[in-house]
Amino acid sequence: MKNIRNFCIIAHIDHGKSTLADRLLEVTHTVAPREMQDQVLDDMELEKERGITIKSHAIQMNYRVTAEGNSANAGQNFVLNLIDTPGHVDFSYEVSRAIAACEGALLVVDATQGIQAQTISNLYLAVDNNLEIIPVMNKIDLDSAMPEEVADEIVDLLGCKHEDILRCSAKTGEGVEAILEAIVERIPAPEGDPAAPLQALVFDSVFNPFRGIISYFRIMNGTLKTGDHVKFYSTGKEYDADEVGVLRLNMEPCKELSAGNVGYIISGIKTSKEVRVGDTITHVAAPCEKPIEGFEAVKPMVFAGVYPVDTDDYEELRASIEKLQLNDASLTFEPESSLALGFGFRCGFLGLLHMEIVQERLTREFNMDVITTVPNVQYKVKLTNGSEIDVYNPSGMPEPNNIAEVYEPYIRAQIITKADFIGPVIKLCMDKRGQLKNQTYLTTDRIEITFDLPLGEVVFDFYDKLKSISKGYASFDYYINGYQPSKLVKLEILLNGDPVDALSTLTYVDNAYPIGRKMCEKLKDLIPRQQFDVAIQAAIGSKIIARETVRQVRKDVTAKCYGGDITRKRKLLEKQKEGKKRMRQVGNVEVPQSAFLAVLKLD
């Protein structure tokens, strides 16, 4: 056990985590040169396309400390378990799970950009879990690198010495050997008793159509052998360990794994409800006294309805979301129905990028065509009778005369930007109803601004706007900071007087008029013309605040009148008018899928 090291790589998005992981695998000869490719651990097409890590990936490396080194470990072989983590704020739950399975972390900082918001957030996560932090400055080979300034920032943040900071270039491989030596020297060996009752923390799982559910775990205490009779603590279900092994580039079976190791178990589990991330695996014959603690349940930030385009695919969509939830524990869902879209699910996401990724994965991995409704957040509503309810979607909002007060979630946002962009950033936050809390200069040129912002305002396009006004320099991180009373209204879209529940939204009272007007204008362009006029209205309660009309398609009934009295033409027009009136009473308006998607992208 003293020769095992479990560590993860944490950093802000685009600071070079996956490239550094590539070099570590290359230097330790874990991946053969012919199998080597960029972002070797990012095995999803989507990750390679976007250049971001979406999933944490675990892999085991063997490393022999060179005999020339004058350390006590010279000439010894070590087993290094690496977990590469995502960097985007929407996937911070993945990071927290990786951190729970490790004793140390490489904190990677880009030498051209310095410390960013997610660097600080991930560092706090690691410090809370008592991880040993090894600061690594990456991209030192670039002309725009500022090694001395960034080193000062790292020293201020961590309180370490300048010589503790490792300098490397993940692209060229410079300094990677020193990082491996530091992992062996600085990160403590895992603690645990191989002879104690089995305690293994499940930190991830995947669905395999041939072998069932494969769970990834970290053994805290005890030993797990192939063929052992085990049970999952929270469900109490019992299984036989058909195969256990370690995670290299492919899964490698082995006879047994003991305390401190990271590996996988295949036990023929078919239903996804029987495996939960954060659960404890133990032996049936000699179970542990209590499960491993400290694993927090996920709190979704953004809610949206996900519906199949074809209503017959409802059960298939349920199975697809359950399989996806295995691999992405931060996704939550429950069934719901809509008049316009039929049966579907109300899903909870950690952010808008997370929602986009889930939608994309449903399409690519499970061939599901889905419609996603307008995203919104969870509100608390205090009723006039004194009770309090949670509202996740506009259709659950009570009538205005029953509402005493509406509370919306607020976030504490930390934005790090260059001093040049401070004006536009503060204006953007103020426009989003933000309250400035603090300003701190990290260096003469970089500033950290702290704002309290309503989560509902941040959900749509805040991140994109922040990036564009700061020319890509600003970084953004946030956490939920309680609820505050707010003036919210339910904005409904009516087509010929009938509300379309999938397009209704909860919004701040001052924003209702511009949003309603934009929605009506967008729908006018997207709804095809009918044989009758289609009135598109935006309404708050019984008050109409905006209207557009899709003009009817009319046949020229007077074409055959080539002379005679005007009353002949009038008679034909009156007859047409009567027909249109009857048609309007029985006709219904189909809203095309493109309309739902376009309303989501209101700009």
Side-chain angles (χ1 to χ4, degrees):
M1 231 169 94
K2 65 180 175 48
N3 283 21
I4 296 174
R5 299 288 183 271
N6 298 319
F7 71 100
C8 57
I9 304 179
I10 54 175
H12 190 76
I13 192 167
D14 279 343
H15 279 207
K17 294 176 300 301
S18 298
T19 315
L20 179 58
D22 288 352
R23 291 298 83 74
L24 293 173
L25 296 176
E26 212 168 52
V27 171
T28 55
H29 309 294
T30 307
V31 181
R34 62 192 172 83
E35 291 178 326
M36 197 64 207
Q37 53 179 327
D38 286 346
Q39 290 175 261
V40 71
L41 291 181
D42 294 349
D43 49 13
M44 240 186 276
E45 268 181 47
L46 211 55
E47 292 180 310
K48 287 197 166 38
E49 270 175 36
R50 292 177 176 240
I52 58 173
T53 303
I54 294 166
K55 284 288 306 161
S56 294
H57 297 273
I59 193 163
Q60 191 176 90
M61 304 179 281
N62 292 336
Y63 175 62
R64 184 180 176 83
V65 181
T66 52
E68 299 94 65
N70 52 8
S71 75
N73 298 316
Q76 292 188 47
N77 290 321
F78 284 83
V79 172
L80 310 180
N81 290 310
L82 155 70
I83 305 179
D84 180 28
T85 63
H88 196 280
V89 65
D90 278 13
F91 303 112
S92 52
Y93 187 63
E94 284 284 327
V95 181
S96 71
R97 285 158 46 190
I99 283 172
C102 295
E103 277 82 35
L106 296 181
L107 182 74
V108 179
V109 180
D110 187 333
T112 64
Q113 293 187 356
I115 284 166
Q116 306 274 290
Q118 201 62 24
T119 316
I120 297 170
S121 159
N122 288 338
L123 172 67
Y124 288 160
L125 267 177
V127 170
D128 287 347
N129 281 270
N130 299 320
L131 263 61
E132 179 65 36
I133 310 292
I134 300 177
V136 176
M137 196 195 304
N138 189 19
K139 305 190 188 180
I140 56 166
D141 58 313
L142 296 180
D143 295 339
S144 54
M146 311 172 290
E148 298 314 316
E149 292 96 314
V150 174
D152 290 341
E153 285 182 31
I154 295 172
V155 168
D156 287 347
L157 180 67
L158 287 177
C160 62
K161 296 175 185 154
H162 272 273
E163 53 269 25
D164 293 341
I165 302 168
L166 302 174
R167 301 185 179 202
C168 80
S169 165
K171 195 174 180 182
T172 62
E174 181 190 340
V176 172
E177 193 76 46
I179 292 173
L180 286 164
E181 285 176 17
I183 289 165
V184 169
E185 295 285 336
R186 298 193 209 171
I187 293 176
E191 293 174 0
D193 181 1
L198 177 67
Q199 258 190 331
L201 172 75
V202 177
F203 66 86
D204 205 354
S205 48
V206 291
F207 181 81
N208 184 307
F210 305 106
R211 311 209 60 181
I213 290 159
I214 303 168
S215 298
Y216 300 158
F217 59 80
R218 152 78 198 274
I219 301 180
M220 300 299 183
N221 288 303
T223 305
L224 179 61
K225 296 177 184 164
T226 304
D228 279 358
H229 196 43
V230 297
K231 72 169 181 179
F232 284 75
Y233 216 98
S234 67
T235 58
K237 295 278 174 76
E238 300 177 7
Y239 308 97
D240 288 320
D242 301 334
E243 182 178 311
V244 296
V246 294
L247 296 154
R248 295 180 81 80
L249 196 56
N250 299 309
M251 293 186 290
E252 286 186 9
C254 62
K255 290 273 183 352
E256 68 171 70
L257 288 170
S258 59
N261 263 304
V262 174
Y264 69 90
I265 178 171
I266 300 175
S267 48
I269 305 170
K270 294 286 184 289
T271 51
S272 53
K273 287 193 181 77
E274 292 174 23
V275 178
R276 290 188 192 148
V277 166
D279 202 354
T280 303
I281 303 173
T282 188
H283 282 132
V284 173
C288 57
E289 287 178 16
K290 57 180 185 180
I292 298 159
E293 292 174 0
F295 218 85
E296 290 182 15
V298 62
K299 295 184 186 73
M301 303 279 192
V302 175
F303 296 87
V306 175
Y307 295 85
V309 171
D310 183 353
T311 47
D312 295 344
D313 292 341
Y314 174 73
E315 283 304 326
E316 209 177 315
L317 179 62
R318 179 196 288 275
S320 301
I321 294 179
E322 279 178 358
K323 285 173 189 169
L324 191 59
Q325 193 183 34
L326 260 183
N327 194 233
D328 183 354
S330 51
L331 171 67
T332 60
F333 71 97
E334 58 184 44
E336 76 164 5
S337 62
S338 150
L339 292 171
L341 300 169
F343 289 102
F345 298 94
R346 164 89 4 199
C347 296
F349 307 97
L350 294 183
L352 230 59
L353 177 69
H354 184 214
M355 176 176 134
E356 208 177 304
I357 295 293
V358 166
Q359 200 175 342
E360 192 77 27
R361 286 184 73 185
L362 282 171
T363 307
R364 290 189 187 200
E365 294 172 31
F366 302 99
N367 294 322
M368 294 300 308
D369 281 337
V370 293
I371 295 174
T372 311
T373 62
V374 180
N376 56 281
V377 297
Q378 175 187 345
Y379 299 100
K380 290 189 184 297
V381 179
K382 195 173 181 183
L383 302 175
T384 46
N385 63 8
S387 61
E388 198 174 89
I389 58 168
D390 289 341
V391 174
Y392 299 96
N393 57 355
S395 58
M397 196 70 158
E399 291 300 314
N401 54 343
N402 294 333
I403 298 173
E405 190 100 69
V406 181
Y407 298 91
E408 66 175 328
Y410 266 69
I411 58 167
R412 176 64 55 91
Q414 286 155 323
I415 299 164
I416 296 178
T417 182
K418 284 197 160 188
D420 309 357
F421 308 117
I422 183 169
V425 168
I426 288 178
K427 184 181 183 302
L428 172 68
C429 295
M430 292 292 193
D431 291 346
K432 298 282 185 185
R433 299 190 282 132
Q435 302 153 12
L436 180 63
K437 290 292 170 189
N438 195 10
Q439 277 176 246
T440 314
Y441 275 89
L442 301 173
T443 65
T444 51
D445 192 33
R446 286 158 59 77
I447 186 166
E448 181 183 11
I449 309 168
T450 308
F451 261 94
D452 276 357
L453 286 158
L455 181 59
E457 296 279 355
V458 175
V459 156
F460 279 100
D461 53 0
F462 181 81
Y463 196 66
D464 295 342
K465 281 187 174 170
L466 181 67
K467 282 287 178 195
S468 58
I469 61 172
S470 65
K471 299 183 181 169
Y473 277 107
S475 62
F476 168 63
D477 185 52
Y478 62 86
Y479 58 88
I480 284 287
N481 192 31
Y483 284 76
Q484 291 187 23
S486 182
K487 292 180 183 174
L488 289 172
V489 289
K490 180 180 171 183
L491 178 68
E492 288 189 299
I493 299 295
L494 312 176
L495 292 182
N496 276 349
D498 298 326
V500 182
D501 59 349
L503 293 178
S504 58
T505 176
L506 295 170
T507 182
Y508 185 64
V509 66
D510 293 352
N511 298 344
Y513 177 71
I515 290 176
R517 199 176 72 245
K518 278 182 192 169
M519 274 185 159
C520 290
E521 286 168 1
K522 205 90 173 234
L523 287 169
K524 184 188 176 185
D525 298 336
L526 293 161
I527 291 176
R529 290 173 72 187
Q530 314 282 333
Q531 293 281 346
F532 51 90
D533 279 356
V534 178
I536 305 166
Q537 296 166 309
I540 299 171
S542 56
K543 184 184 176 188
I544 305 296
I545 58 167
R547 174 186 168 126
E548 293 287 339
T549 307
V550 178
R551 289 287 167 209
Q552 61 193 2
V553 179
R554 291 185 59 169
K555 182 181 170 188
D556 188 1
V557 289
T558 60
K560 58 188 177 185
C561 287
Y562 48 85
D565 191 12
I566 184 68
T567 51
R568 287 179 64 195
K569 285 188 178 180
R570 200 168 287 153
K571 191 172 160 189
L572 288 168
L573 288 167
E574 286 297 326
K575 196 174 172 187
Q576 184 190 35
K577 198 170 165 187
E578 284 300 314
K580 293 279 186 199
K581 200 172 178 182
R582 268 201 312 279
M583 195 182 284
R584 187 172 178 173
Q585 284 166 354
V586 296
N588 60 349
V589 184
E590 287 293 318
V591 182
Q593 188 186 345
S594 59
F596 288 110
L597 300 176
V599 168
L600 288 184
K601 295 183 171 67
L602 276 182
D603 196 1

